[in-house]
């Protein structure tokens, strides 16, 4: 529930696992209790912390039983009650460890570590119509790291517990400084949507005419009258990398073109000479 951002009573177990997995994919670091010392050392190197700082033991349960002390029936019950957590744990163990990240910056003291996002993620709304998962990928790369010019795909899965005749889904892309780069919603594209109860999917596609950078994505479900069903602010990220023949500066590639009418060079101009207009 913590990693999915959903309260325990919002939806039945099993429906929010994909959201928790999506959250884990965004983390720069995932550590594990059973390899605490090793993982803490790795995290210290990643963030530029002093690796010799001791980690004191706190909140230790006295006489805690080990797995081998439990009978098979108790173990089976624990596994059943924590089925989604066990699945999420195995998913986390299979994640590749990141050796570097585009959000890492060099600090004034020379150390290198992840820079904080410009704004903390924010989530609110009635959740009558709920965002279950969001996948951000390039059509060419198949991942959330895409090259300039690739088609950005934003695959949104949701579930509605109500019927709404004027449903709107929207996205907003922001740069690392918090500036809005682009925003659009289904109302502007094709009018309000009519939605009933049940699961659904939406796919936004955008041309990636962006400068190389990390970008933040906001996804929102609301009604035409302003009712906010589910708003996930700065919850998702993607990275745009430069193509090999990058040929513009700034935040956006506006695909500029030009036409010129130039005077002919003077008859006796030496080869390569330029004439001022």
């Amino acid at each position: 529930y913590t990693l999915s951002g959903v309260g325990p009573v919002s939806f039945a177990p099993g429906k929010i696992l994909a959201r928790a997995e999506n959250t884990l994919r965004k983390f720069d670091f995932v550590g594990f209790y059973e390899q605490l010392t090793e993982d803490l050392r790795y995290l210290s190197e990643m963030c530029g912390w002093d690796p010799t700082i001791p980690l004191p033991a706190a909140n230790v349960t006295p006489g805690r039983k080990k797995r081998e002390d439990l009978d098979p029936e108790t173990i089976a019950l624990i596994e059943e009650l924590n089925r989604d957590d066990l699945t999420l744990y195995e998913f986390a163990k299979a994640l590749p460890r990141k050796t570097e990240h585009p959000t890492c910056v060099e600090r004034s003291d020379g150390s290198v570590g992840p820079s904080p996002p410009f704004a903390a993620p924010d989530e609110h709304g009635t959740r009558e119509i709920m965002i279950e998962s969001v996948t951000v990928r390039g059509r060419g790369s198949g991942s959330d790291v895409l090259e300039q010019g690739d088609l950005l795909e934003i695959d949104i899965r949701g579930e509605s517990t109500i019927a709404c005749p004027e449903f709107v889904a929207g996205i907003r892309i922001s740069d690392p400084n918090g500036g809005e780069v682009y925003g659009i919603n289904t109302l502007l594209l094709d009018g309000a949507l009519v939605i009933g109860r049940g699961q659904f999917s939406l796919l936004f596609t955008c041309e990636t005419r962006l400068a190389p950078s990390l970008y933040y994505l906001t996804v929102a479900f609301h009604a035409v009258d302003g009712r906010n069903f589910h708003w996930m602010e700065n919850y998702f990220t993607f990275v745009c990398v430069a193509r090999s023949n990058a040929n513009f500066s700034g935040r956006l590639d506006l695909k500029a073109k030009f036409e010129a009418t130039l005077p002919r060079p003077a008859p006796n101009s030496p080869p390569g000479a330029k004439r001022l207009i």
Side-chain angles (χ1 to χ4, degrees):
Y1 289 120
T2 299
L3 290 173
S4 69
V6 179
V9 298
S10 296
F11 277 84
K15 292 189 176 183
I16 59 174
L17 181 59
R19 285 192 55 188
E21 291 176 347
N22 187 63
T23 300
L24 280 181
R25 289 191 188 97
K26 305 302 180 184
F27 286 171
D28 291 331
F29 170 82
V30 178
F32 299 91
Y33 179 79
E34 63 270 27
Q35 55 191 51
L36 184 60
T37 302
E38 175 188 343
D39 283 355
L40 182 61
R41 185 183 303 112
Y42 182 89
L43 183 61
S44 297
E45 293 174 357
M46 179 180 176
C47 296
W49 300 337
D50 182 357
T52 63
I53 295 176
L55 181 68
N59 196 28
V60 178
T61 303
R64 183 174 181 174
K65 290 186 177 181
K66 298 181 179 180
R67 181 186 178 95
E68 53 267 26
D69 298 329
L70 303 176
D71 58 79
E73 292 77 11
T74 301
I75 294 176
L77 180 60
I78 293 173
E79 291 177 345
E80 175 61 24
L81 294 174
N82 295 276
R83 182 177 64 254
D84 287 352
D85 284 322
L86 292 172
T87 302
L88 186 63
Y89 173 83
E90 294 300 328
F91 175 85
K93 294 290 285 187
L95 284 174
R97 171 150 284 180
K98 297 180 182 179
T99 56
E100 59 182 32
H101 195 273
T103 61
C104 286
V105 296
E106 184 174 353
R107 303 190 182 97
S108 58
D109 61 1
S111 63
V112 176
S115 61
F118 68 87
D122 182 32
E123 183 176 7
H124 49 273
T126 66
R127 290 177 173 79
E128 294 168 296
I129 305 177
M130 178 176 169
I131 301 164
E132 287 197 318
S133 68
V134 176
T135 303
V136 186
R137 60 178 177 266
R139 179 167 293 180
S141 69
S143 74
D144 57 3
V145 178
L146 56 155
E147 190 179 75
Q148 291 169 329
D150 197 355
L151 194 67
L152 174 65
E153 297 183 334
I154 302 171
D155 186 358
I156 305 170
R157 306 299 171 96
E159 182 168 350
S160 178
T161 61
I162 63 171
C164 180
E166 294 184 322
F167 170 64
V168 181
I171 60 171
R172 183 178 69 233
I173 296 171
S174 303
D175 65 24
N177 297 318
E180 182 177 19
V181 176
Y182 181 71
I184 195 66
N185 62 42
T186 53
L187 180 64
L188 297 174
L189 289 171
D190 198 31
L193 303 175
V194 178
I195 189 172
R197 295 178 177 86
Q199 295 182 325
F200 62 92
S201 63
L202 299 162
L203 179 65
F204 285 90
T205 57
C206 312
E207 293 183 24
T208 312
R209 299 183 178 184
L210 301 171
S213 182
L214 172 76
Y215 292 91
Y216 293 86
L217 175 68
T218 295
V219 178
F221 290 167
H222 59 91
V224 173
D225 63 11
R227 283 179 295 157
N228 175 18
F229 298 128
H230 200 181
W231 196 290
M232 300 186 72
E233 184 95 14
N234 303 326
Y235 251 80
F236 313 97
T237 61
F238 66 93
V239 176
C240 183
V241 297
R243 58 177 182 265
S244 56
N245 60 340
N247 54 4
F248 76 96
S249 63
R251 283 293 180 198
L252 295 172
D253 182 3
L254 298 181
K255 299 294 181 182
K257 298 180 180 180
F258 78 94
E259 296 179 0
T261 302
L262 305 175
R264 293 179 178 275
N268 297 325
S269 297
K274 297 182 179 179
R275 181 174 177 179
L276 299 178
I277 300 175

